Amino acid sequence: MDDFIELADLHTATDYADKNSVKNANVVADKMSEIVNSLNSSTEVEKYLSLLTHPNAGSWVAFLLADLSTISKKQKDLCIKKVKSIADGDDVNSFGAQMWLSERGF
């Protein structure tokens, strides 16, 4: 989990005006996705759900876990709740969350 948090922190520091920074952010995002996709038990998922309140990792956990077909309805509901809270804002992250929810029928 520490690796995931470190990756989320790195992604947060992305300078979108710098092509190399954006390229690195994409690599970091792929690594976070790989970590989540490697979770193979409900217990592992629960550990990552504890990060939902983390300032940088929380949103990544919500989006990535919610797309897993192997999580329980309760776990998915927690993730969707987090994404909906992100969507309630008025910044670019909120717009992205709104699109994500709409694409998935929420």
Side-chain angles (χ1 to χ4, degrees):
M1 281 190 356
D2 290 338
D3 290 343
F4 191 92
I5 293 169
E6 184 178 326
L7 291 167
D9 290 344
L10 283 170
H11 196 281
T12 300
T14 302
D15 176 1
Y16 289 98
D18 179 352
K19 184 178 178 179
N20 288 328
S21 182
V22 172
K23 192 175 188 177
N24 187 52
N26 290 335
V27 170
V28 166
D30 288 343
K31 287 180 181 178
M32 286 188 286
S33 183
E34 288 173 14
I35 289 169
V36 167
N37 288 330
S38 74
L39 302 178
N40 55 19
S41 74
S42 184
T43 304
E44 288 179 324
V45 170
E46 283 297 324
K47 288 179 186 175
Y48 277 83
L49 284 173
S50 71
L51 295 177
L52 282 174
T53 58
H54 188 276
N56 295 329
S59 58
W60 283 100
V61 167
F63 286 109
L64 293 172
L65 282 178
D67 276 337
L68 289 179
S69 61
T70 56
I71 66 172
S72 72
K73 180 177 177 354
K74 180 181 175 184
Q75 291 168 329
K76 187 177 201 93
D77 289 346
L78 288 171
C79 293
I80 298 303
K81 182 178 177 181
K82 172 70 175 183
V83 174
K84 285 181 177 180
S85 73
I86 297 166
D88 284 340
D90 60 358
D91 61 7
V92 70
N93 293 327
S94 299
F95 180 69
Q98 292 166 12
M99 288 179 50
W100 186 93
L101 289 164
S102 176
E103 289 169 357
R104 286 155 180 81
F106 296 103

